[in-house]
Amino acid sequence: MPRVVSLFLPTWSTDRVRRITNGASPSGETPLVLVGRDGKRRVVLAADAAARAAGVRVGMPATKARALVPGLVVQDAELAADAAALERLATWALRYAPVVAADPADGLVIDASGATHLHGGETAMLVAMIERLAGARIGARAAMADTWGAAHALARYVARPAIVIPPGASAAAIMPLPIAALRLPIDMVDSLRRLGFDRISDLMEKPRAPLALRFGPELGRRLDHATGERAEPIDPIRPPDVVEVRRGFAEPIGAPETLARYTGKLVVQLCEALEARGLGARRLDLLFHRTDGYVEAVRIGTAKPVRDIKRLTRLLCDKIETVDPGFGIEIMSLAATLTEPFEAKQGISSLTEETVADISGLIDTLSNRIGGERLYRITPIASDVPERSVGRVAPTAPPTGEGWPQHWPRPSRLFTPPEPIETLALLPDHPPVSFTWRGIRRRVKRADGPERVFGEWWKRDAELIAVRDYFQVEDDAGERFWIFRAGDGEDTATGSQRWFVHGIFA
């Protein structure tokens, strides 16, 4: 089932003006409106959050807005610039899914089918999108549903700031929404309200024929788009410099083996085009244009620039089983939406040279199956606090140059957070005689320590005098644990004086 994201930008025009003027623009607390001509009148075409809170509304005469809000900043609207910037934003959103289009005048539409797992799931994808835009000083709300129409309505009337509708529940979710959520012309919405239609559910309960006779086919078409009864294709945007190859078919195709065969042919053509430009692919989008207007998409990524025909073909064909050909595929297109300069490496030229294992192929296979964010390797971080001395980096990231402490051994497994234990200790500087962990009492047979670890006072004041005393202990069964006391055993200001187990030695 398709999963469509509608990204709503409620203050897009004013956000764009503030960004391009930077320091010369009014502050975020100063109300800002953009005005344009409606016939002979100058009316408000866009208002930021501060202006809306003060009572300014889109369509209000500019003179009335000035009188209503003292200190209101008024600038001329630039509709062409807004549309061009929205197209550029759609190109930026290609990092999330291969099928993205502008939804003028204040949003984007994204077909996220099959791409959400690459970003941590549906909710995580929407949250990350909104947070990135917020960091760029662009306000956004987002909704994910089964159809473009439903997602569009939910993003504008429900999402605060994001909402994900489970598959199959989109039609029911939009029933309580006002009829303006159906993307109908304003005069049609006014006419329907005069007839007593306020909610989408009111329209769904009435026969279609009388409504179509009075309002034309547009009303029924928008209802079908929102409920999924009729397809609403998305025309994806493509950057002008993207490397792309296409293939059309005289007769629609749909068999998986046929799709795989032509996928291989497209990969060959794409690699030839990449080679001519000296580039390698980091991300590929394979689009299947169906006869009913839907676009099925497959996206793969690579750990480093690649022009290997066999590898790219295998990665793409592994995902063909997720493609629903419907009544047939009439066009296939393959685009390298993310490329980097390709550096050729010389092979082994001597029998004495050692081969260096290249695991990038394995990384590509795993990351495209389970998601790139779930694949990582552990790297040392400069910190004496054990839980802060470990970080996650990309599998192919270069070495950081840091190393773990060598003067004291570290356990192979750390608990996050450390687990509390009950201990019996003779003196503050001595290790426990016994401890109870997870309901099992363990007698300490051997111990080594203490290793004192001080807090990182430059990070927070609470660690100014905080210390930990770590011990390596071995119980009667030969199991070795890494335990510590929070504090120096005497002064409560240095810690709670409680004991914890922080790790297990192999």
Side-chain angles (χ1 to χ4, degrees):
M1 179 173 289
R3 300 295 286 164
V4 181
V5 175
S6 178
L7 189 64
F8 175 44
L9 311 171
T11 54
W12 169 245
S13 298
T14 55
D15 288 343
R16 184 192 66 82
V17 169
R18 291 187 190 277
R19 280 175 51 82
I20 61 175
T21 54
N22 204 2
S25 66
S27 65
E29 292 77 17
T30 304
L32 170 67
V33 298
L34 305 179
V35 300
R37 291 202 170 274
D38 181 12
K40 295 183 178 181
R41 301 188 309 156
R42 281 172 59 83
V43 299
V44 175
L45 299 182
D48 67 357
R52 292 173 187 267
V56 178
R57 296 290 179 266
V58 174
M60 179 182 290
T63 54
K64 182 178 179 180
R66 286 180 182 272
L68 182 64
V69 183
L72 180 68
V73 177
V74 179
Q75 297 186 14
D76 291 331
E78 299 178 344
L79 301 182
D82 290 343
L86 195 62
E87 293 286 334
R88 293 194 296 271
L89 187 66
T91 302
W92 167 86
L94 285 170
R95 67 184 63 196
Y96 293 102
V99 180
V100 181
D103 189 6
D106 55 7
L108 302 178
V109 58
I110 304 171
D111 187 346
S113 305
T116 55
H117 73 284
L118 299 174
H119 306 282
E122 296 179 345
T123 302
M125 176 179 173
L126 297 189
V127 171
M129 203 179 302
I130 293 171
E131 289 179 349
R132 273 181 172 268
L133 290 172
R137 295 177 296 166
I138 299 174
R141 302 203 297 264
M144 180 177 290
D146 297 334
T147 65
W148 180 355
H152 183 279
L154 293 164
R156 285 153 179 78
Y157 291 90
V158 179
R160 295 294 186 275
I163 184 173
V164 175
I165 303 300
S170 299
I174 65 172
M175 289 303 158
L177 301 184
I179 57 176
L182 290 174
R183 297 176 290 169
L184 298 171
I186 296 177
D187 55 348
M188 186 183 297
V189 172
D190 293 338
S191 299
L192 287 168
R193 284 174 175 166
R194 285 196 295 269
L195 294 175
F197 296 102
D198 294 322
R199 306 288 176 183
I200 295 178
S201 57
D202 299 336
L203 292 173
M204 296 299 295
E205 294 170 355
K206 300 298 181 181
R208 291 285 183 91
L211 294 174
L213 185 62
R214 179 160 184 172
F215 297 101
E218 178 69 9
L219 177 58
R221 181 163 55 248
R222 287 304 188 187
L223 285 171
D224 289 340
H225 286 164
T227 58
E229 296 295 329
R230 181 180 299 189
E232 186 175 12
I234 300 173
D235 185 17
I237 191 171
R238 278 288 176 264
D241 57 344
V242 70
V243 182
E244 184 175 13
V245 293
R246 297 168 63 92
R247 188 175 188 116
F249 305 100
E251 294 291 337
I253 62 174
E257 57 273 12
T258 306
L259 297 179
R261 183 169 67 254
Y262 283 106
T263 296
K265 294 181 179 180
L266 288 175
V267 171
V268 172
Q269 298 176 22
L270 185 72
C271 288
E272 291 175 352
L274 291 172
E275 185 176 6
R277 303 189 185 190
L279 300 174
R282 287 291 311 277
R283 186 173 65 212
L284 295 183
D285 291 338
L286 179 59
L287 305 184
F288 302 86
H289 299 261
R290 297 180 0 182
T291 55
D292 58 2
Y294 272 119
V295 178
E296 294 283 330
V298 167
R299 164 168 286 185
I300 64 167
T302 60
K304 62 181 184 180
V306 175
R307 282 204 310 252
D308 189 325
I309 295 175
K310 290 185 178 180
R311 182 194 296 189
L312 295 176
T313 302
R314 183 179 69 252
L315 293 174
L316 289 168
C317 290
D318 285 345
K319 291 194 171 186
I320 284 182
E321 61 183 15
T322 65
V323 175
D324 178 12
F327 294 104
I329 306 295
E330 57 184 0
I331 297 175
M332 288 176 59
S333 64
L334 179 62
T337 53
L338 180 60
T339 59
E340 292 181 3
F342 185 83
E343 297 181 0
K345 294 184 178 180
Q346 182 178 354
I348 296 177
S349 59
S350 172
L351 295 177
T352 61
E353 293 185 21
E354 296 184 1
T355 60
V356 178
D358 183 7
I359 62 171
S360 61
L362 175 63
I363 293 173
D364 294 343
T365 301
L366 294 176
S367 61
N368 283 285
R369 288 181 180 177
I370 65 176
E373 77 286 346
R374 299 181 181 178
L375 204 62
Y376 58 87
R377 63 180 178 84
I378 299 297
T379 186
I381 296 177
S383 176
D384 288 333
V385 181
E387 58 266 32
R388 298 175 187 165
S389 64
V390 177
R392 296 180 179 183
V393 296
T396 57
T400 61
E402 300 290 343
W404 283 291
Q406 300 295 326
H407 54 284
W408 285 96
R410 291 291 184 259
S412 57
R413 179 185 177 189
L414 283 180
F415 295 124
T416 305
E419 299 186 10
I421 57 176
E422 297 178 3
T423 62
L424 177 62
L426 298 178
L427 293 174
D429 291 337
H430 287 131
V433 176
S434 64
F435 65 94
T436 303
W437 175 52
R438 295 182 179 178
I440 300 177
R441 185 171 181 270
R442 303 172 185 271
R443 183 175 297 277
V444 175
K445 186 177 180 181
R446 297 182 181 86
D448 193 8
E451 174 194 358
R452 177 155 290 184
V453 173
F454 292 90
E456 297 176 339
W457 53 268
W458 57 91
K459 290 190 174 181
R460 56 176 187 162
D461 293 340
E463 297 187 30
L464 188 60
I465 59 174
V467 298
R468 293 178 183 176
D469 285 336
Y470 279 87
F471 294 88
Q472 303 172 46
V473 300
E474 181 180 329
D475 65 3
D476 291 333
E479 296 185 73
R480 298 171 62 215
F481 302 88
W482 204 37
I483 65 176
F484 72 88
R485 180 185 56 235
D488 61 4
E490 297 177 353
D491 186 0
T492 56
T494 61
S496 64
Q497 311 304 322
R498 298 178 59 196
W499 287 83
F500 298 84
V501 59
H502 205 164
I504 300 177
F505 290 91

